[in-house]
Amino acid sequence: SEIDRNIARTKALYFNSNPFIPTILDESITIKKAFKRKSLTLPSTKIDINETGIFKSLPTAKTDKSKDQLLLTNESNESSNTTNNMDITLYDNQQTRQENTNSNPFKSTALTTRRHFDKVVTPQWHAPWELSAVISGHIGWVRSISFDPSNEWFATGSADRTIKIWDLAKCCAGSEGGLKLTLTGHVSAIRGLVVSPRHPYLFSAGEDKMVKCWDLEYNKVIRHYHGHLSGVFCIALHPTLDLLVTGGRDSVARVWDIRTKHQIHVLGGHSNTVGGIITNSVDPQIITSSYDSTIKLWDLAAGKSMTTLTQHKKAVRHICPNIKEFSFVSCGADNVKKWQTRDGKFLMNYSGHNSIINCTAVNEDGVMVTCGDNGSMMFWDYNSGYSFQQTNAIAQPGRLTIRYIVL
């Protein structure tokens, strides 16, 4: 038959190189069956294999010998041709079990432990968001926004090379006179703005390789920070130290002393544009995201990278911290991810925004918004990852691409 021919062909191929075929011992088959029965029936009990002379006992988890013991005996059957049959006998000492239960009523006598499943986080209800007002004044893309810590005014930077200061109350009400001031000085698009909470300073960064410090009492530039070899795309202030961190197209993040204008560190390691920066008062004090699809956590004192996060598959365009807890989110062309700030542990994905996500923001109420390049916005519950609202930007003169947002 065909089976016989296959067997003959197999022997012809392998028997010449290894003429001695090992024999299978009955003892090994007995031990294999004992282990298999142990794993399928009572994995936490003790197995004794007698009359084989190989294993008398096997190390298992700490159990009470007086409770349950699984005894596997190898008894000979005279009717069969010296075939060993494995009999399993479970000895249960009911009296000892009852005594242990009475002495410690909280102690379980179960042989296996119950599986614990992760609890599903219930989304928190959030009120729907509506468009309050549309502010016009720039003649180019608005690439950056920064609010005053007192919430009295905010600044916007645009591709028209100007910085505009707006009155927040008048702009929210939609009344006239919202524009307070226009600052000029950059010769290219302004990509980053940050207002100092401890000094009357406004810092700006642009594609013209310039980083400027504006004195808002005199409305003029008082310091320049030179060193970037290409356009500067992001900027951040340290919360407790007089340090300024900038990153750009030269693939590095630079740490500056605000007062002396000296460059303290050059944080190199990315292989593409640095698109986002977060600063913290404790380690990691600096977090950078790059278009090379990585996120780096930095030790500020040593000026070296502590951890590199590589879960993103495409460019990471923006990162945003949560001011209520020690975590942050990153967004890009693939999706939005949530991370633990302390050690960079990945927490969860926010999936469903089918667009290239340029920016994200999180407020104190646990609402996160993500904005795509097709003008779409999605509102999420930060803790559960549930998307409770989706909307599109209202058509305005110019392009619909959303480049920056602040909650």
Side-chain angles (χ1 to χ4, degrees):
S1 63
E2 185 178 357
I3 298 177
D4 295 334
R5 290 195 298 270
N6 291 335
I7 294 174
R9 184 165 57 252
T10 303
K11 289 183 178 180
L13 289 174
Y14 299 103
F15 187 75
N16 295 329
S17 60
N18 188 11
F20 301 101
I21 300 177
T23 58
I24 301 176
L25 300 177
D26 294 337
E27 297 175 351
S28 63
I29 298 176
T30 302
I31 297 172
K32 185 184 298 184
K33 290 181 179 180
F35 274 103
K36 187 173 182 180
R37 291 179 180 179
K38 173 193 173 186
S39 61
L40 293 178
T41 55
L42 300 173
S44 61
T45 56
K46 183 179 179 181
I47 294 178
D48 290 338
I49 301 177
N50 297 330
E51 299 182 3
T52 59
I54 298 178
F55 293 116
K56 294 300 182 183
S57 62
L58 297 174
T60 58
K62 292 182 179 181
T63 56
D64 192 354
K65 294 183 180 179
S66 61
K67 289 183 180 179
D68 300 333
Q69 185 176 8
L70 183 63
L71 180 62
L72 285 84
T73 59
N74 185 9
E75 297 181 354
S76 60
N77 190 356
E78 296 179 356
S79 61
S80 61
N81 298 328
T82 65
T83 303
N84 295 328
N85 297 325
M86 302 296 296
D87 296 334
I88 301 178
T89 307
L90 180 64
Y91 296 97
D92 189 2
N93 192 337
Q94 299 291 343
Q95 183 178 359
T96 306
R97 183 188 296 269
Q98 186 67 26
E99 292 176 358
N100 294 336
T101 305
N102 295 334
S103 60
N104 187 4
F106 299 101
K107 185 176 181 180
S108 175
T109 58
L111 295 176
T112 59
T113 59
R114 183 177 298 176
R115 295 181 62 186
H116 297 280
F117 297 95
D118 296 334
K119 294 182 179 180
V120 179
V121 181
T122 304
Q124 181 182 358
W125 182 86
H126 299 285
W129 288 66
E130 295 181 358
L131 180 64
S132 175
V134 177
I135 306 168
S136 61
H138 286 287
I139 58 174
W141 290 355
V142 179
R143 309 303 296 264
S144 56
I145 301 175
S146 182
F147 276 78
D148 174 43
S150 62
N151 275 343
E152 295 181 359
W153 54 271
F154 65 96
T156 57
S158 172
D160 60 5
R161 302 171 294 177
T162 63
I163 302 172
K164 293 183 181 293
I165 310 296
W166 307 84
D167 188 286
L168 181 59
K170 292 182 179 180
C171 290
C172 291
S175 60
E176 297 181 356
L179 180 61
K180 300 176 65 175
L181 183 66
T182 300
L183 303 176
T184 59
H186 283 277
V187 296
S188 188
I190 299 169
R191 300 296 297 266
L193 288 175
V194 60
V195 181
S196 175
R198 296 180 295 162
H199 308 286
Y201 296 154
L202 170 67
F203 297 89
S204 62
E207 295 181 359
D208 52 5
K209 313 178 189 177
M210 295 183 183
V211 180
K212 298 177 181 291
C213 175
W214 302 79
D215 191 333
L216 297 178
E217 293 180 351
Y218 299 97
N219 300 329
K220 65 178 182 180
V221 179
I222 59 173
R223 296 186 186 97
H224 292 270
Y225 303 91
H226 298 284
H228 276 283
L229 306 178
S230 188
V232 186
F233 280 27
C234 51
I235 187 171
L237 279 171
H238 196 279
T240 57
L241 303 176
D242 289 336
L243 297 178
L244 179 69
V245 187
T246 58
R249 198 179 293 164
D250 52 2
S251 306
V252 297
R254 301 178 186 270
V255 183
W256 311 87
D257 190 323
I258 293 176
R259 295 166 295 181
T260 63
K261 302 182 293 183
H262 290 165
Q263 184 175 274
I264 300 175
H265 288 304
V266 178
L267 306 178
H270 288 292
S271 59
N272 208 330
T273 301
V274 177
I277 293 176
I278 293 176
T279 55
N280 302 299
S281 58
V282 296
D283 287 333
Q285 299 188 49
I286 298 175
I287 303 174
T288 59
S289 65
S290 173
Y291 290 2
D292 61 2
S293 71
T294 64
I295 301 171
K296 288 183 178 292
L297 282 62
W298 300 88
D299 183 359
L300 180 59
K304 296 181 180 180
S305 174
M306 300 169 56
T307 308
T308 301
L309 312 178
T310 60
Q311 280 84 342
H312 274 283
K313 303 304 179 185
K314 294 185 180 180
V316 185
R317 295 175 175 262
H318 191 248
I319 51 178
C320 179
N322 186 353
I323 60 177
K324 285 290 187 179
E325 63 181 54
F326 208 43
S327 63
F328 69 96
V329 292
S330 59
C331 62
D334 47 1
N335 57 8
V336 182
K337 297 181 183 294
K338 180 180 177 181
W339 311 86
Q340 188 170 279
T341 306
R342 182 179 67 255
D343 53 0
K345 178 183 177 182
F346 172 73
L347 297 178
M348 64 182 301
N349 271 324
Y350 299 86
S351 301
H353 198 165
N354 300 322
S355 176
I356 299 177
I357 304 171
N358 290 319
C359 55
T360 180
V362 184
N363 68 359
E364 297 180 354
D365 297 330
V367 177
M368 182 183 72
V369 59
T370 56
C371 302
D373 64 342
N374 58 355
S376 62
M377 294 189 300
M378 292 189 69
F379 296 85
W380 311 77
D381 179 65
Y382 184 81
N383 294 324
S384 64
Y386 173 73
S387 174
F388 64 90
Q389 185 179 353
Q390 182 176 2
T391 183
N392 291 321
I394 298 177
Q396 299 292 327
R399 193 170 178 178
L400 289 180
T401 302
I402 300 176
R403 292 292 179 177
Y404 207 86
I405 189 169
V406 174
L407 284 179

